[in-house]
Amino acid sequence: MLRSVGQQRLTGTADPRVAALRTAVSRLRRELAGHPVEFPDRGIAEEELAALDAMAAGGAPEVPRLRRSLLLVAGAIGSVSALAPGLRDLRVAVDLFGEPPRPRRP
């Protein structure tokens, strides 16, 4: 079976978390591109979604960077209710990578 993005062959070693992240990012990018109303932080959302896509394409993204990008996207489009389902799917996909390590208390 071939993937549509990059036409790479799926193998048994493919990380399903990365596939879920790429799907969520792609969906939200399409929805954002089709959203007719301009809003002040749209460019930020588009840039961070592109960064998330690049991280996912690279294989195993860094959890802290994923979470930072998610926060930036959420802050940029959080008030646009039409994009809420796509944003929720993105959060779920990022959560698949687990929690970032917590700092140790002295």
Side-chain angles (χ1 to χ4, degrees):
M1 172 184 273
L2 292 179
R3 287 176 37 175
S4 61
V5 178
Q7 295 297 305
Q8 297 173 344
R9 189 167 300 281
L10 285 173
T11 66
T13 60
D15 189 340
R17 300 173 305 168
V18 172
L21 179 61
R22 295 202 77 188
T23 298
V25 167
S26 178
R27 173 187 176 190
L28 190 51
R29 287 180 92 178
R30 281 191 317 271
E31 290 175 358
L32 182 58
H35 189 68
V37 178
E38 286 297 321
F39 49 93
D41 294 332
R42 184 182 195 123
I44 293 169
E46 290 169 344
E47 288 174 16
E48 285 306 313
L49 287 169
L52 282 165
D53 188 46
M55 282 187 271
E62 297 175 21
V63 175
R65 179 68 175 105
L66 285 176
R67 294 204 173 277
R68 179 183 177 277
S69 289
L70 175 61
L71 287 173
L72 288 170
V73 171
I77 67 173
S79 64
V80 182
S81 61
L83 300 174
L87 182 58
R88 182 194 64 240
D89 289 350
L90 180 60
R91 183 190 55 79
V92 168
V94 169
D95 284 347
L96 292 174
F97 288 88
E99 293 291 323
R102 293 183 181 198
R104 293 181 181 214
R105 290 187 172 177

